[in-house]
């Protein structure tokens, strides 16, 4: 197993994409351990890792988000957020956070949110006198709200890997997302006390109805998804297809901002993004198979069991391990790799599977805003034309807020389980 880790880390250092790093390390392990005959089953293991009907939700939800973004709905969401909160001190920073929260119900992925909101808000905040590194850091942190609410791709994958209700997971992530959103707003207002920024241009009273009407169809998307699944009207996979169709229809007939060219581009982007996601999952499935050969999950579970028999200590230890894992791995790959181990540890924690899922996903999302492999950091740094090191320093207080929410998720079950229970799940 040492050879596998060395090969994997070496590939990452050389800049090899994560999916190929996993595959190369797996092949190196099989060859050196004289198990080359298992390479004949390599394609089958890869296909088996993605041969799950529920995984069809991923391309459909990606398509829905791409269609919404191609329809230029980001600006409508930002304008609606500006109407709600833009008049307060530090208003543009607050608009950034609220817009990210509203856009979360469209994207399902932190990277898509960082790109869409960042391309609008970072230049606007810089123009109004905000430090660019702060604007980029705030955008990156707010982007991890996306994977906590429907249609979260990470929660879908967790649900597939553990046979946990995806509808319950969708509902469970909403309250933590609102708590993090609130803390980021408080931080933005506190930060604004010592800085002078021009107030955002207010939305005229006569324009407010129009702004609300334009934003409402977009904001209804997560309601349709969760409501349809919870009511039994359609399955998660069907909900994803409905979401994509809904995005297409409102983009073409209501907003009239989707042309044949933009629709084709949205489908192309969806195909490339889906291929990337599925390749990561497939390669990580092969690595999970190797972990099984070496009996690593059980060995790690036994080692953790030796540390303590107190669930709260084990939960803290597990969070530290997941945070470290998130520093180096893309969340979807980390989920596939970690779940065989986590399934062995989970019975020791005295925790609900839905609460556990939100905790795991939030851990890995924090990795998206921390170096050295923080994809959201790379995106906002590129948009803001700032060195990543500078943005990483500016984001440290906001990572502290994320860790506070993580502790609440880990040790306050009501935060994640109340809403699913209220709506008949959990």
């Amino acid at each position: 197993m040492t050879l596998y880790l060395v090969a994997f880390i070496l590939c990452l250092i050389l800049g090899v994409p994560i999916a190929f790093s996993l595959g190369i390390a797996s092949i190196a392990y099989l060859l050196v351990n004289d198990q080359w005959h298992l390479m004949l089953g390599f394609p089958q293991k890869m296909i088996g890792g993605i041969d799950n009907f529920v995984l069809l939700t991923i391309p459909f939800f990606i398509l829905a988000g791409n269609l919404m973004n191609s329809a230029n709905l980001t600006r409508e969401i930002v304008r609606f957020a500006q109407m709600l909160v833009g008049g307060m001190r530090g208003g543009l920073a607050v608009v950034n956070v609220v817009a990210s929260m509203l856009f979360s119900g469209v994207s399902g992925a932190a990277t898509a949110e960082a790109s869409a909101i960042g391309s609008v808000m970072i230049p606007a905040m810089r123009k109004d006198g905000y430090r660019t590194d702060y604007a980029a850091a705030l955008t990156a942190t707010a982007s991890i709200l996306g994977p906590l609410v429907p249609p979260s791709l990470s929660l879908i994958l967790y649900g597939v890997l553990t046979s946990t209700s995806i509808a319950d997971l969708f509902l469970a992530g909403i309250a933590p997302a609102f708590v993090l959103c609130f803390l980021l707003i408080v931080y933005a207002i506190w930060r604004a006390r010592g800085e002078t920024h021009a107030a955002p241009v207010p939305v005229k009273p006569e324009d407010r109805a129009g702004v609300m009407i334009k934003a409402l169809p977009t904001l209804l998307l997560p309601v349709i998804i969760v409501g349809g699944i919870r009511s039994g009207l359609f399955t998660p996979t069907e909900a994803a297809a409905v979401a994509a169709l809904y995005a297409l229809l409102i983009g073409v007939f209501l907003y009239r901002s989707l042309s044949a060219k933009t629709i084709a581009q949205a489908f192309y982007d969806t195909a490339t993004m889906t291929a990337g996601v599925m390749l990561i999952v497939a390669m990580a499935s092969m690595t999970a198979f190797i972990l099984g050969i070496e009996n690593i999950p059980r060995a790690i579970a036994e080692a953790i069991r030796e540390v303590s028999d107190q669930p709260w200590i084990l939960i803290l230890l597990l969070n530290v391990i997941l945070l470290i894992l998130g520093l180096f791995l893309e969340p979807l790959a980390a989920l596939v790799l970690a779940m065989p181990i986590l399934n062995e540890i989970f019975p020791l924690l005295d925790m609900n599977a839905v609460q556990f899922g939100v905790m795991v996903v939030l851990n890995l999302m924090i990795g998206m805003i921390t170096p050295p492999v923080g994809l959201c950091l790379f995106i906002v740094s590129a948009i803001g034309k700032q060195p990543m090191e500078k943005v990483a320093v500016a984001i440290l207080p906001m990572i502290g807020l994320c860790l506070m929410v993580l502790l609440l998720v880990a040790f306050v079950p009501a935060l994640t389980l109340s809403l699913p229970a209220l709506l008949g799940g959990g």
Side-chain angles (χ1 to χ4, degrees):
M1 201 62 200
T2 302
L3 174 68
Y4 175 89
L5 292 175
V6 170
F8 177 65
I9 293 171
L10 181 60
C11 286
L12 290 181
I13 292 174
L14 293 174
V16 178
I18 289 177
F20 293 109
S21 298
L22 292 168
I24 292 170
S26 299
I27 292 172
Y29 169 87
L30 294 176
L31 289 175
V32 172
N33 286 276
D34 197 26
Q35 299 191 44
W36 59 269
H37 60 282
L38 292 178
M39 289 181 61
L40 297 175
F42 200 108
Q44 286 85 350
K45 289 296 178 184
M46 290 178 59
I47 293 171
I50 58 175
D51 185 19
N52 190 307
F53 183 70
V54 181
L55 285 178
L56 278 174
T57 56
I58 292 178
F60 279 123
F61 279 136
I62 291 175
L63 177 59
N66 284 337
L67 287 170
M68 289 285 196
N69 203 27
S70 297
N72 202 25
L73 300 185
T74 306
R75 294 188 180 276
E76 300 296 342
I77 291 174
V78 169
R79 192 157 170 76
F80 181 71
Q82 183 179 333
M83 184 187 74
L84 294 177
V85 296
M88 62 179 65
R89 182 188 292 268
L92 209 56
V94 177
V95 168
N96 189 330
V97 177
V98 173
S100 292
M101 185 68 201
L102 296 176
F103 192 77
S104 296
V106 174
S107 67
T111 50
E113 189 159 328
S115 177
I117 298 297
S119 62
V120 176
M121 292 306 305
I122 293 175
M125 291 178 69
R126 179 170 53 204
K127 182 179 178 181
D128 276 9
Y130 289 83
R131 288 181 51 170
T132 307
D133 57 339
Y134 166 60
L138 183 66
T139 303
T141 308
S143 72
I144 69 173
L145 294 169
L148 291 177
V149 298
S152 165
L153 304 185
S154 297
L155 288 177
I156 290 170
L157 184 57
Y158 173 86
V160 170
L161 294 172
T162 60
S163 300
T164 304
S165 167
I166 292 175
D168 285 348
L169 289 168
F170 279 173
L171 291 170
I174 292 175
F178 272 103
V179 172
L180 179 56
C181 178
F182 173 76
L183 291 177
L184 290 175
I185 289 173
V186 171
Y187 176 76
I189 295 173
W190 173 82
R191 175 83 179 246
R193 291 190 310 170
E195 301 178 8
T196 56
H197 304 294
V201 178
V203 177
K204 297 177 182 179
E206 59 269 24
D207 294 337
R208 290 177 180 174
V211 170
M212 187 177 300
I213 291 172
K214 286 183 178 180
L216 187 59
T218 305
L219 302 179
L220 283 177
L221 183 60
V223 177
I224 292 172
I225 294 168
V226 177
I229 297 173
R230 177 60 70 197
S231 65
L233 189 61
F234 32 69
T235 66
T237 307
E238 292 166 345
V242 169
L245 179 61
Y246 176 79
L248 179 63
L249 292 177
I250 65 171
V252 172
F253 297 108
L254 184 61
Y255 293 108
R256 297 181 180 179
S257 53
L258 283 178
S259 63
K261 183 178 180 180
T262 55
I263 292 173
Q265 185 63 43
F267 273 87
Y268 175 80
D269 292 342
T270 299
T272 54
M273 290 173 66
T274 301
V277 169
M278 293 304 178
L279 184 59
I280 289 173
V281 174
M283 289 295 189
S285 298
M286 188 61 199
T287 299
F289 172 67
I290 290 174
L291 293 176
I293 293 176
E294 292 284 337
N295 205 22
I296 298 298
R298 188 171 297 275
I300 293 177
E302 291 296 333
I304 291 178
R305 186 182 284 112
E306 293 294 327
V307 173
S308 174
D309 59 356
Q310 295 294 321
W312 70 272
I313 294 178
L314 297 179
I315 290 171
L316 283 177
L317 178 60
L318 183 60
N319 276 294
V320 172
I321 293 172
L322 287 171
L323 285 171
I324 294 173
L325 184 65
L327 292 177
F328 301 99
L329 283 179
E330 193 273 344
L332 298 183
L335 266 177
V336 179
L337 290 176
M339 284 319 303
I341 300 170
L342 297 179
N343 286 335
E344 293 286 342
I345 300 172
F346 175 69
L348 309 175
L349 303 181
D350 191 27
M351 184 182 287
N352 182 279
V354 172
Q355 178 192 1
F356 184 65
V358 176
M359 184 188 80
V360 170
V361 167
L362 180 54
N363 264 293
L364 299 178
M365 287 306 120
I366 293 174
M368 297 283 280
I369 57 174
T370 52
V373 194
L375 295 180
C376 291
L377 272 187
F378 284 110
I379 291 170
V380 298
S381 297
I383 293 172
K385 298 178 182 178
Q386 294 286 298
M388 194 183 75
E389 296 81 5
K390 192 174 181 180
V391 179
V393 171
I395 208 172
L396 288 176
M398 290 170 266
I399 290 178
L401 298 179
C402 295
L403 294 176
M404 288 173 56
V405 177
L406 178 61
L407 289 175
L408 290 175
V409 169
F411 294 107
V412 183
L415 183 63
T416 50
L417 301 181
S418 295
L419 191 55
L422 181 66
L423 297 179

